[in-house]
Amino acid sequence: MIPPARLVSFVREAPFLAFVLLAPVPGCVLLTDVDERRIPKDHASSASSSGSSSASGSSSASTGAGGAGGQGGAGGAFSCTSDADCPGLASACGEPRCFEDGRCGFDNQPIGAPCDEGGAACDGKGHCVECTAGVHCASGKCGPDRTCIPATCSDTIENGDETDIDCGGSCVANCGPGAGCVAHDDCVGGLCEAGTCAPTCKDGATNGEETGADCGGPTCPACPLGVTCEIDADCVSGFCEAGVCAAIPTCSDGVKNGSETDVDCGGSDCVKCGVGGACEGGIDCDTASCVAGVCAGPSCADGVQNGNEAGIDCGVVCPTGCAPGAPCTNGLDCASKICEGPAGSAVCSTPSCFDGEHNGDETSYDCGGSCDVKCPPFYPCLVHADCKGGECDPVKLTCTPTCADGYQNAGETDPDCGGPCPKKCPEGGHCNTSIDCVPNLNCFQGHCLP
């Protein structure tokens, strides 16, 4: 038995130890349930080496991962040669043990070791507690006091009668698509198939063949504006544009939509766009001219009939008159200068050498060029063949008077005779002197006479 004075001294030297006194035999005690985490570091070495310590270093160790148990008394009072020499009660979580240094100690089972003495697992200090991990609890949660925490619908664990994590069963929350279920009532969408909440048109999620949450697709109601869609039938508006349900476009809604190329104009349904409007082709513009994606003003080089043109890039407003057969209003619209036919259906006529207009390849009115009639002196010409006299001044580009042009000019006394011409004038011809007349004729009172 430990002398009282020695026991008091031991307690004073080690006040940090917690003791449980077990007295299996008269006069003997066993110190147990030491919580090593509460031993200050400055006492650790002295407690294991002091003569008043309850056990040696070896007796404070367990045979496995268990914690240090209660240890023998001071001064060799609990020395031993076998486990039978050591006092204390054996349990599922620990038993007295004689350690190699000949001192008694208590060998505890490691934390989590199974036990059935009022609990499910050992706490590493020789006690059998309700739990040391969630696996020991029906709720899946073990509290810091080693007791099971009751299941709730907000503990982020599937427990109790829940069919999935915090939903289904008695929980207020129903489970979403893909979660586990037992009955239809477990599911947000109200449909439990093969133990899983199946997609429906009222589960609050976009699933199945839906294009939006609980809308669109072949079975759900049509979607409102702004919701994703694939075809017009997916939308309440009946119009799916760029994958989103939109209002049915009109040509007066102030928005560029539908087939419009600009706001409320262009495309297949709306009016043509004015100059400056966006376009994809001339058909979108009121000028019929689309240049670099923008409606351009009319010009005589845009390849379309617009403005006041009588035809494509021709007419009175353009430098070029319209070709034969083109519609016209008057001769000024035509290259031939002649517009023929009834009003509203008149067309430009083909140039001719007898239409009284300077047209075609004529060098002047109905003469020169391809015309049989050649141009008289001083009329425009390009080549000698354009002139009646056969001579075109290369500088002035006018027909030069000659003695073969059929006109009286350049000093001639009569057309193409007399004066400078080698040909003399016949009887009756005009003359200035007898030299202007053919031989045997004399010039009398300005005429060649015998």
Side-chain angles (χ1 to χ4, degrees):
M1 179 175 180
I2 302 175
R6 180 60 175 164
L7 180 59
V8 170
S9 174
F10 178 78
V11 171
R12 287 177 177 173
E13 291 175 1
F16 50 88
L17 296 178
F19 301 105
V20 176
L21 299 180
L22 302 176
V25 293
C28 296
V29 295
L30 179 64
L31 307 180
T32 63
D33 199 18
V34 177
D35 189 346
E36 293 180 344
R37 294 174 298 174
R38 301 184 61 185
I39 301 176
K41 293 182 179 179
D42 57 350
H43 291 287
S45 60
S46 62
S48 62
S49 60
S50 172
S52 61
S53 174
S54 62
S56 67
S58 63
S59 64
S60 65
S62 67
T63 58
Q71 293 154 5
F78 295 109
S79 59
C80 59
T81 58
S82 68
D83 293 343
D85 296 334
C86 297
L89 297 176
S91 70
C93 291
E95 58 185 350
R97 178 64 56 84
C98 181
F99 291 94
E100 293 179 356
D101 61 357
R103 293 175 182 271
C104 289
F106 213 80
D107 188 14
N108 294 330
Q109 291 295 315
I111 294 176
C115 64
D116 57 2
E117 298 172 348
C122 297
D123 66 354
K125 299 178 183 180
H127 306 125
C128 184
V129 294
E130 188 173 9
C131 63
T132 59
V135 69
H136 301 135
C137 303
S139 67
K141 298 193 76 172
C142 180
D145 61 351
R146 305 301 191 186
T147 60
C148 292
I149 299 174
T152 69
C153 293
S154 60
D155 54 17
T156 69
I157 295 176
E158 182 183 340
N159 49 27
D161 65 349
E162 298 168 358
T163 60
D164 211 304
I165 297 175
D166 295 341
C167 68
S170 60
C171 290
V172 174
N174 297 117
C175 298
C181 60
V182 174
H184 296 320
D185 289 343
D186 294 326
C187 303
V188 172
L191 180 61
C192 179
E193 292 183 340
T196 300
C197 289
T200 70
C201 296
K202 55 181 180 178
D203 56 20
T206 301
N207 47 33
E209 296 181 276
E210 300 167 357
T211 60
D214 297 339
C215 68
T219 58
C220 294
C223 296
L225 300 184
V227 177
T228 303
C229 58
E230 294 179 359
I231 59 175
D232 291 343
D234 292 328
C235 306
V236 170
S237 65
F239 183 63
C240 178
E241 183 177 41
V244 176
C245 289
I248 296 176
T250 69
C251 295
S252 59
D253 55 16
V255 179
K256 178 183 176 297
N257 49 23
S259 64
E260 299 168 358
T261 59
D262 210 325
V263 177
D264 295 340
C265 69
S268 58
D269 302 316
C270 300
V271 298
K272 309 299 182 184
C273 297
V275 174
C279 57
E280 294 178 359
I283 193 172
D284 298 319
C285 306
D286 57 13
T287 62
S289 177
C290 180
V291 179
V294 177
C295 292
S299 76
C300 293
D302 55 18
V304 293
Q305 180 181 348
N306 49 26
N308 292 319
E309 296 171 354
I312 297 175
D313 296 338
C314 68
V316 67
V317 296
C318 295
T320 304
C322 296
C328 58
T329 302
N330 55 60
L332 296 177
D333 290 329
C334 305
S336 67
K337 302 296 189 297
I338 298 176
C339 179
E340 296 180 327
S345 59
V347 296
C348 294
S349 67
T350 302
S352 73
C353 294
F354 46 84
D355 55 18
E357 294 290 346
H358 182 189
N359 50 29
D361 63 350
E362 299 168 353
T363 57
S364 191
Y365 290 85
D366 293 340
C367 70
S370 60
C371 291
D372 293 335
V373 178
K374 305 306 177 183
C375 295
F378 306 110
Y379 274 57
C381 62
L382 296 175
V383 295
H384 295 320
D386 292 329
C387 302
K388 285 187 175 182
E391 235 180 87
C392 179
D393 188 315
V395 176
K396 296 180 180 180
L397 293 179
T398 57
C399 291
T400 303
T402 68
C403 293
D405 55 20
Y407 296 92
Q408 182 182 345
N409 49 35
E412 299 168 354
T413 58
D414 219 39
D416 296 338
C417 67
C421 293
K423 180 181 178 182
K424 303 304 179 179
C425 296
E427 182 178 349
H430 294 89
C431 58
N432 291 324
T433 65
S434 295
I435 197 173
D436 294 324
C437 302
V438 296
N440 301 321
L441 294 178
N442 295 305
C443 185
F444 180 77
Q445 293 185 347
H447 289 84
C448 293
L449 298 171

